[in-house]
Amino acid sequence: MSGRGSVMQPKVELNFRHTYLRCFLISAVVPILAIFVILSLYYDREAVSFSREVLAGAMDAGENALETSFAEIEQISFTPYLYKEVSQTMTYMKNGFLRPGVEGYGYLDLASLESNYTMLFTKMLHSSQQKVQAISFYPFGAALGDCYAIERDTAGLSRTQVSAAEVDRLYGYTVPHGSAPAFLSLDGDEPHQTYSLLRTIKDYDSGKELGILRIDTSLSSLAPCLVGMQVTENSALMLCDSQGQIVYCDGTVKPGLMEQAQGGADEGVLGSQRYTFQRRSPGSTGWTLFHAASVSDIRLSNAGATFLIFAVTLLAFLAAFILYRAQSANMISSIESILYAIRQLQEGNLSYVCAVKDKKELLMIADALNKTGKKLDDLIRTEAEARTSQSKAEYLALQSQINPHFLYNTLNGFIALNRLGEKQLLETSIIQLTKLFRYICSNSDVSTPAREFDFATQYLELQKLRFEERITYTVVVGEGTGDLPVPKLVIQPIVENCIVHGMEEDDEPIEIILRSYVKKSGEGQVALILEVVDTGVGFDTAKLRDSPRVGLNNVTQRLNLFREGSHYEVSSTPGRGTTARIIIPLESARQ
């Protein structure tokens, strides 16, 4: 192909425009993207940190509000210690004086005490901002099992009978807290509607335990304490009592999330969601306020800011690209012409003349390419032809060595048959030899395992005419190996060595096994294995290096020329036989 610079150029597979564009991407786009990623990550981290700080403030406010609520209920539980008549009434309840049908004592004004007791607790029940539902007293002693309750929806003091086990259960909750109140949820079913304060009441003077004071309060009164904590789709707000029960929940508590939150970690992972945990313990109640915030929800809420950063980054990229195109158009066109000229020279198109636009430096480069193209192409072609001819000559020279060596050994056998007078056997051997020479004299220098084993079989049949039953053989061509390419005449020299060096001087028989198979190494490489095994006398492999064996040395050299990495291995044990392997790497698993 001939032409000038004005001729329309085909598109180069890898032209300078692509290279220059890559340089632009690396020098301009990559920093812009890096800035976008850094800003996004920084803003994301700051947004998560800011959300945690905001939530921490809301959690602190909720903790203080809960402490105030619990303190108000706890203040009601101090009533027996603040009002003597309440403590006296509870003492009479313990002694059973307030039971129906029990004779009163004339000097005790029980009706007045009961009235004051009921009026005082009823006032506290309705005046409290915490929606107290009931105030109950469970006395010990003779009246164990009684329950004196003042409820929001009914008037007066009511007495009901409960089991002693129930009183013991309530008492068990208060024991770990001593004289302090215990806050917990006693509802049997979920969701919980109320929470309770339990406190052991003691006699003001004697210090003896009178019974259990229980104040039941609606959980809805705690909801205003938690209004400042926002809950998203994957987040959750939980309030747990001193027993670890969830008494209040906003959001969905996923299985396993509660356990991670109670474990004390600041962060956790559940499924594909990552969470940050915050916890507060209002007062000395033993209750815990947990908040599990989904990081993905926080990031989703900040998606608008991330989009803004992306838009600014995109505008910066577009501005940089417009400047790049304006400054680089002529330069890229000239350099692409030079690159195309280099490609034409590499492909042997020496008549192509490179022409560029008026750029002095680039014109000098184009001139140099036009002047040196022909010389460079001639040198490459000359060297390639010389290397090909040298490799071919070396390979044919090595192959030619095997023919006279094999013929020399075979003719020596024929001379021995002639001297023994074995005319018929000699004639049969000569016919067999002609079959072998058809294969030897064929033009191809590449064969297959199937043809190599067939040639070795004919050679063994020729030797059996002389040694008869002393030689037995087996041929196994592995599946998929029969048509693979191998060097010609590499199996017969090894088989010949089995007979010449492997047979004993006495009449001991020898078995020769020929087989081919494909083996995969631990590194994933695939190789064809041609293996020749005999049961002959064997030898010491340490002496193999010093032994002048023309046939085997020839095999080794031709393997090296046939394919890189091909080699020949021999293992032998005196008295146990010899194994020879030819290993030829395959270019692919398919081959």
Side-chain angles (χ1 to χ4, degrees):
M1 168 180 164
S2 64
R4 308 297 301 178
S6 58
V7 178
M8 182 176 180
Q9 301 172 358
K11 186 177 180 180
V12 184
E13 182 182 356
L14 288 176
N15 54 33
F16 186 75
R17 189 180 301 276
H18 297 156
T19 304
Y20 204 65
L21 182 59
R22 284 199 300 271
C23 293
F24 167 72
L25 292 176
I26 293 173
S27 60
V29 176
V30 171
I32 291 174
L33 289 177
I35 292 173
F36 167 69
V37 172
I38 292 172
L39 285 177
S40 299
L41 292 176
Y42 173 78
Y43 182 79
D44 178 74
R45 187 186 67 179
E46 290 300 311
V48 173
S49 177
F50 178 74
S51 298
R52 285 182 60 88
E53 291 178 1
V54 171
L55 181 60
M59 291 283 284
D60 290 339
E63 179 185 16
N64 293 333
L66 288 173
E67 287 181 3
T68 302
S69 298
F70 291 139
E72 186 175 349
I73 302 301
E74 186 177 359
Q75 188 66 32
I76 297 175
S77 70
F78 282 121
T79 302
Y81 301 106
L82 300 176
Y83 297 92
K84 184 68 174 178
E85 59 268 35
V86 174
S87 176
Q88 276 186 334
T89 304
M90 289 180 173
T91 302
Y92 296 149
M93 289 177 180
K94 175 186 176 184
N95 295 327
F97 292 165
L98 269 64
R99 283 183 172 181
V102 176
E103 271 189 40
Y105 296 87
Y107 59 91
L108 297 178
D109 190 0
L110 297 177
S112 176
L113 287 174
E114 180 180 346
S115 176
N116 291 336
Y117 176 92
T118 303
M119 185 180 301
L120 183 59
F121 273 123
T122 301
K123 180 181 178 181
M124 291 182 176
L125 185 146
H126 288 282
S127 62
S128 173
Q129 298 180 0
Q130 301 307 312
K131 297 183 182 179
V132 177
Q133 300 297 310
I135 300 176
S136 307
F137 180 67
Y138 299 83
F140 296 153
L144 183 64
D146 288 348
C147 174
Y148 295 92
I150 300 173
E151 299 180 0
R152 172 181 287 271
D153 298 331
T154 59
L157 180 66
S158 64
R159 173 186 172 277
T160 58
Q161 189 70 27
V162 298
S163 65
E166 174 65 13
V167 180
D168 290 338
R169 183 176 74 91
L170 298 178
Y171 181 67
Y173 289 132
T174 65
V175 169
H177 298 272
S179 58
F183 290 86
L184 69 161
S185 175
L186 296 175
D187 283 348
D189 300 321
E190 294 185 0
H192 300 281
Q193 299 296 327
T194 62
Y195 71 94
S196 303
L197 177 148
L198 297 178
R199 188 169 203 157
T200 302
I201 303 300
K202 297 181 179 180
D203 182 71
Y204 186 81
D205 296 321
S206 65
K208 293 182 179 181
E209 294 179 341
L210 301 177
I212 304 296
L213 179 64
R214 172 177 175 176
I215 303 175
D216 296 326
T217 308
S218 175
L219 277 170
S220 61
S221 62
L222 299 180
C225 303
L226 310 175
V227 293
M229 283 160 275
Q230 296 181 353
V231 176
T232 59
E233 180 181 357
N234 296 302
S235 301
L237 177 66
M238 299 165 284
L239 180 62
C240 299
D241 65 7
S242 57
Q243 304 298 313
Q245 297 185 75
I246 301 177
V247 297
Y248 176 86
C249 177
D250 188 5
T252 303
V253 180
K254 299 179 180 179
L257 188 62
M258 182 65 185
E259 289 75 6
Q260 294 189 41
Q262 291 178 330
D266 292 332
E267 293 186 352
V269 177
L270 186 64
S272 60
Q273 293 285 338
R274 186 164 68 91
Y275 292 89
T276 61
F277 300 126
Q278 293 206 35
R279 57 190 61 79
R280 298 290 187 275
S281 298
S284 58
T285 61
W287 287 40
T288 308
L289 180 63
F290 295 100
H291 189 282
S294 171
V295 176
S296 61
D297 287 356
I298 297 174
R299 289 172 175 165
L300 186 62
S301 64
N302 298 316
T306 304
F307 178 78
L308 179 61
I309 296 174
F310 173 76
V312 172
T313 305
L314 183 61
L315 289 175
F317 165 73
L318 292 176
F321 184 74
I322 292 172
L323 290 175
Y324 151 75
R325 290 300 299 267
Q327 296 294 324
S328 63
N330 291 337
M331 176 71 72
I332 289 177
S333 178
S334 299
I335 295 180
E336 278 190 338
S337 298
I338 294 175
L339 290 175
Y340 182 76
I342 293 174
R343 176 60 61 85
Q344 292 298 308
L345 292 178
Q346 290 174 341
E347 294 177 355
N349 185 9
L350 304 179
S351 60
Y352 180 80
V353 178
C354 178
V356 299
K357 295 183 179 180
D358 190 13
K359 297 283 184 181
K360 185 177 293 184
E361 295 82 0
L362 298 180
L363 281 172
M364 293 175 60
I365 296 174
D367 250 3
L369 285 174
N370 293 332
K371 290 178 181 178
T372 60
K374 190 176 187 314
K375 292 183 180 180
L376 179 62
D377 185 72
D378 288 344
L379 288 175
I380 292 174
R381 290 191 179 190
T382 302
E383 182 179 359
E385 291 174 0
R387 288 190 177 185
T388 302
S389 299
Q390 181 181 1
S391 298
K392 184 72 173 178
E394 290 178 356
Y395 190 84
L396 293 176
L398 288 172
Q399 182 172 319
S400 66
Q401 290 180 5
I402 206 70
N403 296 344
H405 180 73
F406 164 72
L407 182 60
Y408 172 78
N409 291 337
T410 304
L411 291 179
N412 279 341
F414 288 173
I415 293 172
L417 290 175
N418 184 56
R419 289 176 179 175
L420 293 173
E422 297 287 345
K423 304 297 183 179
Q424 183 62 38
L425 186 58
L426 176 60
E427 181 181 348
T428 305
S429 300
I430 293 173
I431 294 173
Q432 191 72 19
L433 180 62
T434 59
K435 296 180 181 179
L436 295 178
F437 266 89
R438 288 195 190 98
Y439 179 75
I440 293 174
C441 296
S442 61
N443 292 330
S444 176
D445 54 5
V446 176
S447 185
T448 66
R451 291 200 294 269
E452 278 291 286
F453 285 174
D454 184 60
F455 176 71
T457 300
Q458 295 179 28
Y459 172 77
L460 287 170
E461 287 296 328
L462 184 63
Q463 295 299 326
K464 282 174 68 69
L465 294 173
R466 175 184 174 189
F467 294 103
E468 298 179 348
E469 66 277 0
R470 289 186 61 192
I471 298 178
T472 58
Y473 62 89
T474 304
V475 178
V476 180
V477 180
E479 182 180 357
T481 64
D483 295 328
L484 295 177
V486 297
K488 185 178 176 182
L489 295 177
V490 292
I491 297 297
Q492 185 273 333
I494 302 174
V495 174
E496 183 177 352
N497 270 3
C498 294
I499 296 174
V500 174
H501 302 288
M503 293 184 66
E504 299 180 357
E505 295 181 0
D506 52 17
D507 294 335
E508 290 296 322
I510 184 172
E511 181 182 5
I512 300 175
I513 302 172
L514 308 177
R515 55 179 168 236
S516 65
Y517 55 92
V518 173
K519 183 178 181 181
K520 187 175 182 180
S521 68
E523 299 177 355
Q525 298 177 344
V526 182
L528 170 65
I529 311 296
L530 302 177
E531 195 170 78
V532 180
V533 182
D534 70 64
T535 59
V537 297
F539 62 93
D540 185 1
T541 54
K543 300 178 181 179
L544 184 62
R545 301 175 186 173
D546 303 327
S547 177
R549 304 191 179 196
V550 176
L552 297 184
N553 291 337
N554 184 287
V555 169
T556 301
Q557 294 179 48
R558 286 197 296 126
L559 283 173
N560 291 335
L561 288 173
F562 177 74
R563 182 170 296 163
E564 184 179 357
S566 301
H567 59 284
Y568 173 70
E569 297 177 352
V570 177
S571 59
S572 183
T573 303
R576 295 188 179 182
T578 303
T579 299
R581 293 185 185 88
I582 292 176
I583 302 171
I584 302 176
L586 298 180
E587 295 179 358
S588 68
R590 180 180 178 185
Q591 289 182 323

